[in-house]
Amino acid sequence: MPIKKTRTVCTTCHARCGVFVYSDGDEIVKIEGDPDNPKSYGTICGAGMSQREIHNDTEGRLLYPMRRVGERGSGEWERITWDEALDTIASESRRIIEEYGPEAIITGQGTGRTTNHWHCRLNSTLGLEGWSLVPTHVCLMPHILPNAISLGIFSPADGDLPNSGTMVLWGQNPAMERGIMRLILDRQKAGGNLIVIDSRFQDMSKHADLAIQPRPGTDGALALGIIREVIANGWYDQEWIDNWTYGFEDLRARVEEFTPERVAEICWIGPEQVREAARMMGTAGPVGMMVGLGPGCMHTNAIQNGRAIACLQGLLGWIDVPGGVNVPVAFSVMLDDKITLWDSALDPGRPELFTFGGDKHPLYKSFGRSNDPNTVFKAMITGEPRPVKMFVAIADDPLLCYEDSNLTYEAMTSPNLDLIVVKDFYLSPTAQLADIVLPTADWSERCTYDEELDGPFILAFDQAVPAPGECWDDWRFFLEWGKRMNPEQWPWADEKEMVLWRLKEFYGFDLTWEEFQAVPVRIVGATEPGAEPVHKKYEKGLLRPDGQPGFPTVTGKIEFSSPAMAAFGYDPVPDYTEPAESPVSQPELAKEYPLIGSTGHRVYSFFHSAWTNVPAQRAFYPEPFAVVHPDDAARFGVTDGEWMTISSPRGKIISKALVSREAKAGCVFIPRPAWRDECKALGLSGYGWDRANGNVLVPSEPAEPGYGATAMRSFLCKIEPGRGDL
Ligand code: SF4
């Protein structure tokens, strides 16, 4: 049989690299990067390459729907059909809605699955409004909400770095997952400045013209200090400030106290680093930033940290111009009413709409349109403020991805839950506790598309190989569950019809499937394939719903002082508050737990908690590890390459010590994967949900007031040599 070559997109992580998959019958024989893809430029990483193993070697993979026959967690299953599984899910949905109301059903979703809008539609079919349960308090929303509030840009607001005079990687390491790294280094060779701000001295720090390592959770203070220097030196455009920004004098007054010396003291850096960062940003534009999750997410002061960085971008003024901040429109339209079945005229924060924890974290309710996860988990245990009876997790492993894993475990094992359904690739720790498990198709095995995180791009995915067993993509699962609940809302025959309807209805692409696949990347807002994005959309009335020039904010301008923030009880001007659990805010606790723990940084293989069972990925990092500075290792008797125990008031885990100056002194960096799964091919153990999972150490309270972000990247801990009893 001739080798088939399929052009598609890897969705293992958010980078969405273009790839060619070569297959021989049902087997993948090779995967290589697509050099014409405008996001990845032919680059592909080891995690993407391992799709060959994931597809070809299905040992341990969920291949058929299964129903629990023993006790929960006993590991005893029987195979059932998709119809049996879906009929059970639909009949239980109807019963629970009837007896307890739709809020008693929680649907959880993992990240990066290209189905956010369809998931929301399914929830609407159930009688819910919003996402139900997603960990967007961890990453997505604290990442983009400050941009939405400050700049009116509902996206990560990544910069056009290949055309920047000064490139800023703020808590962002594109060497991990982005083909753009090569372009950044090329731009630097051609004269561009590269500033890397990250608590870890990471891959890109080594290439930086200026590398700054702020203490975790203090990036907001650093941003305010840079703003102060930019203003004090007159490195801004007064005409831009007058025409397009709001609250400049308030911002000027606020930053006055953030002198380089004070910022240096807060951030544990040198004052000259603050001055130099401001000089580069203020004098060598355009400035393009890529802001990752570290600075403005996973801290109890997350939103204001992100606000400070967003305001710095607004002050510098390189908005929607080549080399500056990209302003996409895709994200704003992704969750429109036609697909979600929401009524946007209704305020999602309205008091009469019940959400779990919406009263506690109103910003999450209004912008995240989700339940507060910790309130949901507590409701699963206690039945208060309302009972939760059914939990459906789609590509989601809550035991690994939420803070305070012991609380999540108590919730997942609660006898109050009548039905737990998990749809995933493997029997994850959460799936092991389920009543029904459902098998999932991976990216090479499905034909859908992505419009979610790619700014102006719509990426076509083609199916390279048939899915093994009875693995379904999530689109089909939502479709079939939705049909059983309300067929009028789910009229399509299959995923391809869903895709083509979406493209025609929302983007004006009236295409056959073959025509859609013939152009792998389309620009949103352009009818001609390959058309260039439009710049300075704020001047042309392309950003505001009323078609007027300006930004889609309350004032129509970039808001240094935000009426929206004030309405939610925040200081309207960005300010710095100390993380809730730090050596400064909790000096007594710090006597027993003297180090700052930070979880969640990426490593070259794996995506979140997934794939530690896959040999090609596990070979890179066989054992759990955490990074500590040599001074801290010496102080606490920890040896490079040996086991250590990391403890916090919440619990303890084990890791091998990686003793390196990559870590900032006084901090411990625990990467994301948690090494939950055994890798049989390499004879390596799995550590489940509780033995190497940094989230065991993280408190669920206190949380960021409006949004509920927790202290995943700034909590107190200690290290000791050895494994103890783990
Ligand atoms: S896993 Fe690797 S190849 Fe796949 S999208 Fe991410 S960076 Fe690209």
Side-chain angles (χ1 to χ4, degrees):
M1 187 179 284
I3 299 295
K4 181 179 142 200
K5 179 181 179 183
T6 308
R7 177 182 239 153
T8 188
V9 175
C10 173
T11 62
T12 293
C13 81
H14 291 305
R16 304 289 196 257
C17 298
V19 296
F20 289 112
V21 177
Y22 297 83
S23 55
D24 184 358
D26 291 354
E27 295 243 313
I28 295 175
V29 294
K30 188 171 80 168
I31 298 173
E32 63 183 21
D34 174 0
D36 295 330
N37 184 286
K39 285 170 56 58
S40 54
Y41 319 99
T43 307
I44 179 171
C45 79
M49 302 264 275
S50 73
Q51 180 70 189
R52 189 163 70 104
E53 271 183 307
I54 292 164
H55 173 78
N56 293 352
D57 179 8
T58 53
E59 188 191 351
R61 202 165 152 188
L62 276 173
L63 296 175
Y64 305 98
M66 295 196 295
R67 176 167 49 208
R68 170 175 68 83
V69 290
E71 293 293 305
R72 266 192 189 146
S74 65
E76 295 169 49
W77 304 93
E78 67 175 2
R79 182 176 161 183
I80 56 175
T81 65
W82 268 102
D83 276 340
E84 285 176 285
L86 284 158
D87 289 345
T88 302
I89 292 166
S91 65
E92 278 296 278
S93 303
R94 279 191 285 271
R95 178 187 69 79
I96 288 167
I97 291 168
E98 175 81 21
E99 289 181 26
Y100 301 96
E103 296 80 16
I105 301 175
I106 294 291
T107 61
Q109 182 196 308
T111 187
R113 301 300 169 198
T114 76
T115 49
N116 293 325
H117 33 17
W118 296 107
H119 183 181
C120 290
R121 187 181 187 91
L122 189 277
N123 286 340
S124 294
T125 298
L126 296 174
L128 299 164
E129 184 177 319
W131 304 62
S132 193
L133 186 74
V134 283
T136 58
H137 69 310
V138 175
C139 51
L140 180 69
M141 279 296 165
H143 193 33
I144 62 178
L145 195 56
N147 300 325
I149 288 172
S150 316
L151 311 175
I153 302 172
F154 211 76
S155 89
D158 280 346
D160 175 24
L161 270 64
N163 294 304
S164 299
T166 295
M167 302 170 283
V168 183
L169 299 174
W170 201 320
Q172 176 72 270
N173 181 9
M176 277 295 142
E177 58 178 39
R178 306 271 175 124
I180 198 174
M181 174 187 169
R182 183 163 49 81
L183 302 189
I184 291 171
L185 296 179
D186 286 349
R187 180 74 197 103
Q188 188 186 25
K189 275 191 208 132
N193 297 314
L194 176 60
I195 302 175
V196 179
I197 302 171
D198 199 312
S199 302
R200 285 186 310 118
F201 195 82
Q202 40 107 321
D203 305 89
M204 296 304 286
S205 307
K206 295 159 194 159
H207 297 280
D209 299 293
L210 175 65
I212 304 177
Q213 283 182 272
R215 173 166 63 96
T218 64
D219 300 75
L222 176 57
L224 294 173
I226 295 171
I227 290 172
R228 183 187 184 279
E229 286 300 290
V230 168
I231 293 175
N233 287 284
W235 291 324
Y236 61 93
D237 176 353
Q238 190 63 51
E239 199 178 323
W240 163 263
I241 297 296
D242 292 343
N243 289 340
W244 299 108
T245 72
Y246 176 82
F248 176 71
E249 289 306 325
D250 293 332
L251 183 67
R252 185 206 292 268
R254 171 56 45 81
V255 299
E256 198 46 47
E257 64 184 286
F258 290 90
T259 62
E261 286 69 27
R262 178 162 181 238
V263 170
E265 190 184 341
I266 293 170
C267 301
W268 299 358
I269 60 176
E272 71 287 352
Q273 293 184 303
V274 184
R275 293 192 179 93
E276 183 60 4
R279 187 193 65 76
M280 284 185 180
M281 292 186 208
T283 63
V287 178
M289 292 191 191
M290 288 176 74
V291 182
L293 304 183
C297 305
M298 296 176 261
H299 302 290
T300 55
N301 56 5
I303 297 293
Q304 286 289 45
N305 283 353
R307 271 273 292 153
I309 295 170
C311 287
L312 171 59
Q313 303 219 54
L315 172 69
L316 295 169
W318 302 103
I319 308 293
D320 208 14
V321 294
V325 176
N326 288 317
V327 180
V329 292
F331 207 99
S332 349
V333 297
M334 184 187 75
L335 294 173
D336 52 63
D337 290 357
K338 280 189 194 167
I339 197 159
T340 59
L341 303 176
W342 297 341
D343 178 356
S344 287
L346 292 173
D347 174 10
R350 62 193 185 280
E352 61 273 23
L353 176 67
F354 173 81
T355 61
F356 288 95
D359 48 346
K360 202 160 93 182
H361 300 300
L363 204 58
Y364 198 43
K365 179 181 178 185
S366 289
F367 285 88
R369 284 181 174 261
S370 311
N371 295 296
D372 168 52
N374 288 299
T375 311
V376 168
F377 294 141
K378 285 171 185 158
M380 287 176 177
I381 298 164
T382 65
E384 299 294 338
R386 293 191 187 185
V388 175
K389 306 303 287 182
M390 176 173 167
F391 176 53
V392 181
I394 301 125
D396 183 19
D397 189 3
L399 281 168
L400 275 293
C401 73
Y402 288 94
E403 59 281 337
D404 198 353
S405 310
N406 286 304
L407 171 71
T408 314
Y409 182 78
E410 197 181 342
M412 292 298 126
T413 53
S414 168
N416 295 333
L417 278 169
D418 293 346
L419 181 66
I420 303 177
V421 179
V422 175
K423 184 173 187 292
D424 213 325
F425 302 108
Y426 297 94
L427 267 179
S428 68
T430 304
Q432 289 168 31
L433 300 174
D435 302 299
I436 291 176
V437 290
L438 303 171
T440 296
D442 205 358
W443 57 264
S444 66
E445 304 156 355
R446 61 189 179 212
C447 49
T448 51
Y449 80 120
D450 188 31
E451 62 181 312
E452 295 180 354
L453 294 168
D454 294 290
F457 302 117
I458 296 176
L459 305 173
F461 304 173
D462 207 357
Q463 184 180 25
V465 282
E470 294 178 3
C471 292
W472 283 14
D473 61 56
D474 299 343
W475 294 57
R476 188 170 174 194
F477 172 59
F478 288 128
L479 175 64
E480 294 298 332
W481 185 6
K483 266 185 194 300
R484 280 167 169 77
M485 301 302 293
N486 186 338
E488 283 181 15
Q489 292 177 347
W490 298 84
W492 307 280
D494 57 25
E495 306 93 300
K496 287 184 181 174
E497 280 195 10
M498 293 162 82
V499 170
L500 295 179
W501 172 80
R502 173 71 176 161
L503 291 169
K504 183 177 178 185
E505 194 76 15
F506 299 93
Y507 298 110
F509 296 121
D510 189 2
L511 305 167
T512 64
W513 184 256
E514 289 69 30
E515 288 168 340
F516 172 51
Q517 290 296 332
V519 181
V521 181
R522 285 182 164 79
I523 307 289
V524 172
T527 48
E528 294 298 317
E532 289 297 315
V534 178
H535 287 114
K536 291 198 177 182
K537 291 184 276 296
Y538 56 89
E539 286 185 348
K540 303 175 176 81
L542 296 175
L543 295 180
R544 292 180 56 82
D546 59 11
Q548 294 300 307
F551 293 87
T553 57
V554 175
T555 62
K557 296 187 172 186
I558 288 175
E559 292 177 348
F560 301 135
S561 178
S562 163
M565 289 292 281
F568 282 99
Y570 284 88
D571 192 325
V573 184
D575 200 0
Y576 172 73
T577 52
E578 186 63 24
E581 196 175 286
S582 82
V584 177
S585 60
Q586 302 253 18
E588 280 306 308
L589 189 64
K591 286 178 185 165
E592 185 176 354
Y593 298 99
L595 298 174
I596 299 170
S598 171
T599 68
H601 75 265
R602 300 283 170 81
V603 294
Y604 278 108
S605 54
F606 313 135
F607 180 62
H608 289 250
S609 57
W611 316 122
T612 52
N613 57 325
V614 177
Q617 299 197 38
R618 186 70 177 264
F620 285 102
Y621 304 98
E623 300 283 8
F625 71 92
V627 193
V628 295
H629 190 274
D631 293 350
D632 295 320
R635 181 177 163 203
F636 296 103
V638 160
T639 306
D640 184 49
E642 299 294 330
W643 287 104
M644 64 178 174
T645 302
I646 312 172
S647 317
S648 82
R650 276 68 57 181
K652 59 186 177 180
I653 60 169
I654 50 171
S655 278
K656 291 271 178 86
L658 173 59
V659 178
S660 166
R661 291 183 188 279
E662 172 187 328
K664 186 171 183 67
C667 305
V668 183
F669 294 92
I670 306 161
R672 177 70 184 89
W675 285 264
R676 67 176 198 196
D677 299 314
E678 178 185 10
C679 180
K680 286 191 180 142
L682 299 180
L684 293 165
S685 302
Y687 294 84
W689 67 269
D690 57 344
R691 290 197 298 147
N693 174 13
N695 285 332
V696 167
L697 308 174
V698 178
S700 54
E701 305 276 357
E704 198 278 336
Y707 206 78
T710 59
M712 287 174 156
R713 293 204 168 174
S714 47
F715 60 91
L716 291 174
C717 67
K718 66 180 177 184
I719 55 174
E720 298 163 280
R723 296 180 62 153
D725 55 357
L726 290 175

